[in-house]
Amino acid sequence: ETGVTQTPRHLVMGMTNKKSLKCEQHLGHNAMYWYKQSAKKPLELMFVYSLEERVENNSVPSRFSPECPNSSHLFLHLHTLQPEDSALYLCASSQSGAGTQETQYFGPGTRLLVL
Amino acid sequence: GQNIDQPTEMTATEGAIVQINCTYQTSGFNGLFWYQQHAGEAPTFLSYNVLDGLEEKGRFSSFLSRSKGYSYLLLKELQMKDSASYLCAVRDGDYKLSFGAGTTVTVRA
Protein backbone atom coordinates (compact mmCIF):
# COMPACT_ATOMS: atom_id res chain seq x y z
CA GLU A 1 0.00 0.00 0.00
CA THR A 2 1.33 3.45 -0.83
CA GLY A 3 -0.10 6.91 -0.39
CA VAL A 4 2.24 8.30 -3.03
CA THR A 5 1.24 8.14 -6.69
CA GLN A 6 3.28 8.96 -9.77
CA THR A 7 2.35 9.52 -13.40
CA PRO A 8 3.20 8.46 -15.97
CA ARG A 9 4.52 5.04 -14.97
CA HIS A 10 6.50 4.72 -18.20
CA LEU A 11 7.83 7.42 -20.51
CA VAL A 12 9.84 7.32 -23.73
CA MET A 13 11.15 10.63 -25.01
CA GLY A 14 13.57 11.98 -27.53
CA MET A 15 16.43 14.23 -26.56
CA THR A 16 14.66 17.33 -27.85
CA ASN A 17 11.35 16.69 -26.09
CA LYS A 18 9.94 18.43 -23.02
CA LYS A 19 7.96 16.33 -20.59
CA SER A 20 6.91 16.46 -16.95
CA LEU A 21 6.68 13.83 -14.24
CA LYS A 22 3.99 14.21 -11.61
CA CYS A 23 3.89 13.05 -8.02
CA GLU A 24 1.04 13.32 -5.53
CA GLN A 25 1.06 12.30 -1.88
CA HIS A 26 -2.10 11.61 0.12
CA LEU A 27 -0.39 11.21 3.50
CA GLY A 28 -0.53 14.79 4.76
CA HIS A 29 3.27 15.01 4.75
CA ASN A 30 5.22 18.26 4.64
CA ALA A 31 8.33 17.17 2.70
CA MET A 32 8.69 15.68 -0.78
CA TYR A 33 11.67 14.26 -2.66
CA TRP A 34 12.86 13.27 -6.13
CA TYR A 35 15.31 10.39 -6.49
CA LYS A 36 16.99 8.80 -9.50
CA GLN A 37 17.51 5.02 -9.49
CA SER A 38 19.83 3.53 -12.10
CA ALA A 39 20.53 -0.18 -12.44
CA LYS A 40 22.89 -1.55 -9.79
CA LYS A 41 23.46 1.93 -8.33
CA PRO A 42 22.27 3.49 -5.08
CA LEU A 43 19.30 5.79 -5.11
CA GLU A 44 20.52 9.31 -5.80
CA LEU A 45 18.75 12.19 -4.09
CA MET A 46 17.97 14.94 -6.60
CA PHE A 47 15.72 17.47 -4.88
CA VAL A 48 14.02 18.01 -1.53
CA TYR A 49 11.11 20.30 -0.78
CA SER A 50 9.99 21.10 2.75
CA LEU A 51 6.87 23.19 3.24
CA GLU A 52 7.01 23.89 -0.49
CA GLU A 53 10.50 25.42 -0.25
CA ARG A 54 13.44 23.73 -1.94
CA VAL A 55 15.92 22.76 0.77
CA GLU A 56 18.30 20.47 -1.10
CA ASN A 57 19.62 20.45 -4.63
CA ASN A 58 22.31 17.86 -5.20
CA SER A 59 24.17 19.36 -8.16
CA VAL A 60 21.54 18.16 -10.59
CA PRO A 61 21.88 19.31 -14.23
CA SER A 62 19.60 22.19 -15.18
CA ARG A 63 17.79 20.00 -17.72
CA PHE A 64 15.89 18.73 -14.63
CA SER A 65 13.65 21.37 -13.11
CA PRO A 66 11.49 20.66 -10.04
CA GLU A 67 8.29 22.41 -9.07
CA CYS A 68 6.29 22.11 -5.85
CA PRO A 69 3.05 24.10 -6.13
CA ASN A 70 1.68 22.82 -2.79
CA SER A 71 2.53 20.29 -0.11
CA SER A 72 0.73 17.44 -1.92
CA HIS A 73 2.14 17.82 -5.42
CA LEU A 74 5.60 17.67 -6.90
CA PHE A 75 6.65 17.88 -10.53
CA LEU A 76 9.88 17.19 -12.36
CA HIS A 77 10.12 19.03 -15.67
CA LEU A 78 12.43 17.43 -18.21
CA HIS A 79 14.08 19.25 -21.11
CA THR A 80 16.74 18.16 -23.64
CA LEU A 81 17.66 15.03 -21.72
CA GLN A 82 20.53 12.70 -22.56
CA PRO A 83 20.40 8.91 -22.99
CA GLU A 84 22.27 8.50 -19.70
CA ASP A 85 19.29 10.09 -17.96
CA SER A 86 17.31 6.92 -18.63
CA ALA A 87 16.42 5.54 -15.20
CA LEU A 88 13.63 5.02 -12.68
CA TYR A 89 12.58 8.32 -11.11
CA LEU A 90 11.12 7.91 -7.66
CA CYS A 91 9.13 10.39 -5.64
CA ALA A 92 8.91 10.15 -1.86
CA SER A 93 7.31 12.07 0.98
CA SER A 94 7.83 12.31 4.73
CA GLN A 95 6.58 14.13 7.78
CA SER A 96 9.51 16.16 9.02
CA GLY A 97 9.87 17.89 12.34
CA ALA A 98 11.21 17.53 15.85
CA GLY A 99 10.46 14.17 17.38
CA THR A 100 9.40 12.50 14.16
CA GLN A 101 11.02 9.43 12.64
CA GLU A 102 10.78 11.09 9.23
CA THR A 103 10.36 7.83 7.35
CA GLN A 104 10.20 8.42 3.63
CA TYR A 105 7.38 6.72 1.71
CA PHE A 106 7.95 6.12 -1.97
CA GLY A 107 5.80 6.17 -5.06
CA PRO A 108 6.02 3.42 -7.71
CA GLY A 109 8.29 5.48 -9.93
CA THR A 110 8.37 6.58 -13.55
CA ARG A 111 10.51 4.41 -15.83
CA LEU A 112 12.10 6.87 -18.25
CA LEU A 113 13.82 5.96 -21.50
CA VAL A 114 15.59 8.70 -23.44
CA LEU A 115 16.31 7.88 -27.08
CA GLY B 1 31.43 11.52 0.86
CA GLN B 2 29.04 8.93 2.20
CA ASN B 3 29.90 5.25 1.93
CA ILE B 4 27.30 2.56 2.50
CA ASP B 5 28.19 -1.04 1.68
CA GLN B 6 26.02 -4.11 1.44
CA PRO B 7 26.43 -7.37 -0.47
CA THR B 8 25.16 -7.40 -4.03
CA GLU B 9 23.36 -10.72 -3.99
CA MET B 10 22.31 -13.48 -1.59
CA THR B 11 20.49 -16.75 -2.16
CA ALA B 12 18.66 -18.80 0.44
CA THR B 13 16.17 -21.62 0.69
CA GLU B 14 12.51 -21.24 1.58
CA GLY B 15 12.06 -21.52 5.35
CA ALA B 16 15.67 -20.58 6.08
CA ILE B 17 17.18 -17.45 7.66
CA VAL B 18 19.19 -14.81 5.82
CA GLN B 19 21.20 -11.95 7.32
CA ILE B 20 21.98 -8.92 5.17
CA ASN B 21 24.84 -6.80 6.49
CA CYS B 22 25.30 -3.09 5.97
CA THR B 23 28.32 -1.03 6.94
CA TYR B 24 28.40 2.72 6.71
CA GLN B 25 30.74 5.66 6.95
CA THR B 26 28.83 8.92 6.89
CA SER B 27 29.49 12.48 7.97
CA GLY B 28 26.60 12.32 10.41
CA PHE B 29 24.13 9.81 11.77
CA ASN B 30 20.48 10.35 12.53
CA GLY B 31 19.00 6.90 11.99
CA LEU B 32 19.24 3.87 9.72
CA PHE B 33 16.43 2.51 7.57
CA TRP B 34 15.83 -0.73 5.72
CA TYR B 35 13.56 -0.85 2.69
CA GLN B 36 12.31 -3.73 0.55
CA GLN B 37 11.92 -3.23 -3.19
CA HIS B 38 10.34 -5.77 -5.51
CA ALA B 39 11.28 -5.47 -9.16
CA GLY B 40 9.41 -2.62 -10.82
CA GLU B 41 7.82 -1.46 -7.58
CA ALA B 42 8.30 1.24 -4.96
CA PRO B 43 10.71 0.72 -2.06
CA THR B 44 8.61 -0.03 1.02
CA PHE B 45 9.68 0.77 4.57
CA LEU B 46 10.70 -2.20 6.73
CA SER B 47 12.52 -0.92 9.80
CA TYR B 48 14.20 1.98 11.55
CA ASN B 49 17.04 1.97 14.08
CA VAL B 50 18.47 5.01 15.79
CA LEU B 51 19.71 3.45 19.04
CA ASP B 52 22.00 0.43 19.38
CA GLY B 53 20.30 -2.91 19.60
CA LEU B 54 17.77 -5.13 17.95
CA GLU B 55 14.34 -4.14 16.65
CA GLU B 56 12.00 -7.03 15.90
CA LYS B 57 8.96 -6.91 13.64
CA GLY B 58 7.49 -10.32 13.00
CA ARG B 59 9.76 -12.31 10.68
CA PHE B 60 12.05 -9.31 10.15
CA SER B 61 14.57 -7.93 12.66
CA SER B 62 17.12 -5.15 12.32
CA PHE B 63 20.21 -4.56 14.42
CA LEU B 64 22.37 -1.46 14.82
CA SER B 65 25.80 -0.80 16.28
CA ARG B 66 26.62 2.89 15.94
CA SER B 67 30.17 2.52 17.27
CA LYS B 68 30.93 -0.03 14.55
CA GLY B 69 28.97 1.68 11.78
CA TYR B 70 27.15 -1.59 11.24
CA SER B 71 23.63 -2.86 10.81
CA TYR B 72 22.01 -6.07 9.69
CA LEU B 73 18.56 -7.09 8.53
CA LEU B 74 17.53 -10.60 9.52
CA LEU B 75 14.83 -12.36 7.55
CA LYS B 76 13.43 -15.48 9.20
CA GLU B 77 11.21 -18.27 7.86
CA LEU B 78 11.89 -17.13 4.33
CA GLN B 79 9.03 -17.17 1.88
CA MET B 80 9.15 -16.95 -1.91
CA LYS B 81 7.58 -13.50 -1.73
CA ASP B 82 10.66 -12.28 0.17
CA SER B 83 12.64 -12.42 -3.08
CA ALA B 84 13.41 -8.73 -3.58
CA SER B 85 16.09 -6.09 -3.25
CA TYR B 86 16.80 -4.83 0.28
CA LEU B 87 18.10 -1.28 0.64
CA CYS B 88 20.07 0.06 3.59
CA ALA B 89 19.84 3.84 4.04
CA VAL B 90 21.39 6.23 6.56
CA ARG B 91 19.97 9.61 7.45
CA ASP B 92 23.02 11.75 7.87
CA GLY B 93 21.38 15.13 8.34
CA ASP B 94 18.10 16.91 7.88
CA TYR B 95 16.04 15.27 5.14
CA LYS B 96 18.91 13.49 3.41
CA LEU B 97 18.98 9.70 3.11
CA SER B 98 22.10 8.06 1.67
CA PHE B 99 21.41 4.63 0.22
CA GLY B 100 23.47 1.53 -0.39
CA ALA B 101 23.21 -0.12 -3.81
CA GLY B 102 20.89 -2.80 -2.47
CA THR B 103 21.11 -6.55 -1.86
CA THR B 104 19.12 -8.80 -4.17
CA VAL B 105 17.80 -11.78 -2.22
CA THR B 106 16.63 -14.82 -4.15
CA VAL B 107 14.59 -17.40 -2.28
CA ARG B 108 14.61 -20.89 -3.78
CA ALA B 109 12.11 -23.65 -3.13
Side-chain angles (χ1 to χ4, degrees):
Chain A
E1 177 194 350
T2 177
V4 183
T5 57
Q6 291 186 242
T7 53
R9 293 293 311 274
H10 301 272
L11 179 63
V12 180
M13 60 186 290
M15 289 191 282
T16 58
N17 292 157
K18 288 185 182 180
K19 296 287 183 184
S20 295
L21 310 184
K22 179 183 176 182
C23 175
E24 184 173 0
Q25 60 96 359
H26 311 273
L27 300 169
H29 289 165
N30 59 11
M32 296 186 76
Y33 310 75
W34 279 117
Y35 286 88
K36 177 183 179 182
Q37 188 176 32
S38 302
K40 306 297 183 187
K41 288 186 176 180
L43 269 74
E44 302 171 45
L45 180 64
M46 299 176 72
F47 301 104
V48 182
Y49 277 82
S50 175
L51 299 172
E52 300 147 48
E53 299 273 335
R54 191 191 304 183
V55 296
E56 185 105 18
N57 177 356
N58 276 11
S59 302
V60 178
S62 59
R63 57 186 184 268
F64 295 93
S65 174
E67 178 190 1
C68 186
N70 56 60
S71 61
S72 299
H73 293 87
L74 186 65
F75 294 89
L76 188 63
H77 303 300
L78 315 174
H79 175 52
T80 57
L81 294 192
Q82 305 298 310
E84 60 264 30
D85 297 322
S86 299
L88 181 67
Y89 288 84
L90 290 162
C91 174
S93 71
S94 70
Q95 182 60 29
S96 297
T100 64
Q101 187 170 298
E102 301 186 35
T103 300
Q104 294 182 21
Y105 294 89
F106 286 83
T110 295
R111 176 72 61 186
L112 174 66
L113 177 62
V114 181
L115 300 176
Chain B
Q2 319 297 35
N3 192 24
I4 300 173
D5 288 320
Q6 50 182 129
T8 304
E9 294 179 336
M10 301 183 75
T11 301
T13 305
E14 197 173 13
I17 298 172
V18 69
Q19 178 174 312
I20 306 170
N21 297 323
C22 173
T23 58
Y24 62 90
Q25 290 177 305
T26 55
S27 55
F29 182 83
N30 198 17
L32 186 143
F33 295 81
W34 284 96
Y35 284 85
Q36 179 191 61
Q37 186 178 24
H38 286 100
E41 297 182 13
T44 55
F45 169 71
L46 288 179
S47 70
Y48 170 71
N49 295 72
V50 67
L51 300 176
D52 289 353
L54 188 68
E55 295 282 341
E56 295 188 83
K57 267 188 183 183
R59 293 189 299 112
F60 293 1
S61 304
S62 57
F63 172 82
L64 175 67
S65 169
R66 288 171 299 170
S67 62
K68 295 182 179 177
Y70 168 70
S71 172
Y72 67 73
L73 180 69
L74 194 69
L75 315 180
K76 295 179 275 191
E77 302 170 20
L78 279 174
Q79 301 175 10
M80 300 298 287
K81 66 178 182 180
D82 297 330
S83 292
S85 182
Y86 292 85
L87 311 178
C88 174
V90 173
R91 185 164 67 225
D92 49 20
D94 290 341
Y95 307 109
K96 182 170 177 154
L97 278 186
S98 295
F99 282 83
T103 300
T104 299
V105 172
T106 302
V107 181
R108 294 189 173 160

